[in-house]
Amino acid sequence: MSSFWSKKSTAFNPNKLKANLRMAITRLRMQQNKLVNGIKIQRRQVAELLALQKYESARVRVEQVLRDDVSIEGYEVLALFLDLLSNRVHLITNISDECVSGSGDNRKKGLALCPPELKESITSVLWAAAQLGNVVPELQNVSKCFEAKLGADFVAMSVSNAEFSVNQKIIERLGFNTPSNARCIEYLTNVATEYSIEGYDEQRLLDPSGLVPSVSTTENVGTSLGVDVDTTTLGSVIDPTGVPEGGIIRTPSGFLLPALTQARDELECRLLQLKRG
């Protein structure tokens, strides 16, 4: 009897997979909205620190803002993969079960039996499940479903990205990488321009004697989040002037923020008082 229930609990269930894929998409949308609202608040807080000339505090705070900002696009890409798999559950169901019927070489067959047209989607979702399991718990259930179908070796390969099949944009947007110093300074300059901070001095952020390392000491350390900060590519993400047409601010993830014209709380009142002219 115990063996019967153990087999039942580990058997692949396409309906369960599809349900968890759809629920994961819904959860991701909720997290996206949460990040968008949080970024608005955090950008205003960073602007206030810049207005008070607390540059090092702003430099430290902006790292989390950048991660959240870039994560918005990562969630969008992940949601597309989840939607794709949800609509192709029948292809996953038709995969032979021999890859999980034994051990050793049989289990490794899951690597070869995965449909090539779904490999990037499946491995990307499994990789993201290991990164976002606490944020989107439904992804853990999705991971278990794929383990039941393709085997533990396939899941381990996906999490480690051993075959480099995980989508690069997901790795860059959802990985735990520290933004480069140049990227952070570029973002701070954009915030200062957005809120028209009087007396903003970018050179203070480049000072090598400050508590925060300068670009010259960190240019070869860490991985930059999002696109390169080179001015030749920056224009596609952030307007070089900081204020695109119509006063709308475009963040690194492509999210558009309306210009601050009317104060909605005490913090924005102080920021408006600091605007030029």
Side-chain angles (χ1 to χ4, degrees):
M1 179 66 71
S2 60
S3 62
F4 170 78
W5 287 111
S6 62
K7 289 182 180 179
K8 183 177 180 180
S9 61
T10 58
F12 174 74
N13 187 332
N15 294 326
K16 181 179 179 181
L17 173 61
K18 187 167 186 176
N20 278 284
L21 287 169
R22 303 310 302 178
M23 287 190 292
I25 294 174
T26 302
R27 180 86 65 176
L28 278 175
R29 299 303 184 197
M30 294 171 58
Q31 289 298 323
Q32 276 185 306
N33 293 334
K34 183 178 179 180
L35 285 179
V36 167
N37 294 329
I39 287 172
K40 292 179 181 179
I41 297 173
Q42 291 181 82
R43 284 173 69 93
R44 286 187 288 145
Q45 292 173 341
V46 169
E48 184 179 29
L49 290 173
L50 293 176
L52 297 174
Q53 297 190 358
K54 295 183 178 180
Y55 290 95
E56 292 177 342
S57 296
R59 167 62 181 81
V60 172
R61 180 75 65 86
V62 79
E63 286 190 7
Q64 186 59 47
V65 184
L66 255 173
R67 290 193 192 96
D68 291 346
D69 199 336
V70 175
S71 293
I72 294 175
E73 185 178 356
Y75 285 173
E76 186 67 32
V77 177
L78 179 58
L80 290 175
F81 281 134
L82 291 171
D83 189 40
L84 174 66
L85 294 177
S86 175
N87 288 288
R88 295 186 178 180
V89 169
H90 62 284
L91 294 179
I92 301 171
T93 305
N94 292 334
I95 297 175
S96 174
D97 290 330
E98 64 179 345
C99 58
V100 293
S101 61
S103 59
D105 293 338
N106 282 339
R107 297 187 65 83
K108 293 180 181 179
K109 289 181 181 179
L111 304 179
L113 291 173
C114 178
E117 65 273 18
L118 293 180
K119 186 173 183 179
E120 181 183 17
S121 301
I122 295 177
T123 55
S124 297
V125 168
L126 291 174
W127 183 90
Q131 305 292 320
L132 305 174
N134 295 330
V135 179
V136 187
E138 290 80 6
L139 288 177
Q140 293 292 343
N141 295 329
V142 171
S143 180
K144 292 177 182 177
C145 289
F146 281 120
E147 181 177 352
K149 189 64 177 176
L150 297 172
D153 288 338
F154 185 89
V155 175
M157 179 276 294
S158 302
V159 172
S160 63
N161 195 22
E163 297 189 358
F164 305 102
S165 55
V166 178
N167 182 270
Q168 188 63 30
K169 186 172 288 188
I170 283 186
I171 294 177
E172 292 174 353
R173 269 57 176 179
L174 300 181
F176 296 105
N177 298 317
T178 301
S180 69
N181 194 53
R183 189 82 174 110
C184 291
I185 293 176
E186 196 73 41
Y187 198 96
L188 288 171
T189 301
N190 177 250
V191 171
T193 305
E194 173 190 352
Y195 289 98
S196 300
I197 302 299
E198 185 71 35
Y200 171 71
D201 186 6
E202 184 178 300
Q203 293 303 314
R204 288 185 57 179
L205 293 167
L206 300 173
D207 185 5
S209 63
L211 293 178
V212 180
S214 66
V215 175
S216 60
T217 60
T218 59
E219 59 184 359
N220 294 323
V221 180
T223 303
S224 175
L225 286 177
V227 298
D228 194 353
V229 295
D230 183 54
T231 55
T232 59
T233 59
L234 191 60
S236 62
V237 179
I238 302 178
D239 190 285
T241 63
V243 182
E245 183 179 355
I248 302 298
I249 305 302
R250 183 183 297 276
T251 69
S253 66
F255 175 66
L256 298 179
L257 290 174
L260 179 62
T261 56
Q262 293 184 345
R264 291 166 293 182
D265 52 34
E266 183 179 353
L267 174 59
E268 290 190 351
C269 283
R270 293 198 297 270
L271 289 172
L272 278 175
Q273 292 173 359
L274 294 168
K275 290 175 75 70
R276 297 192 183 104

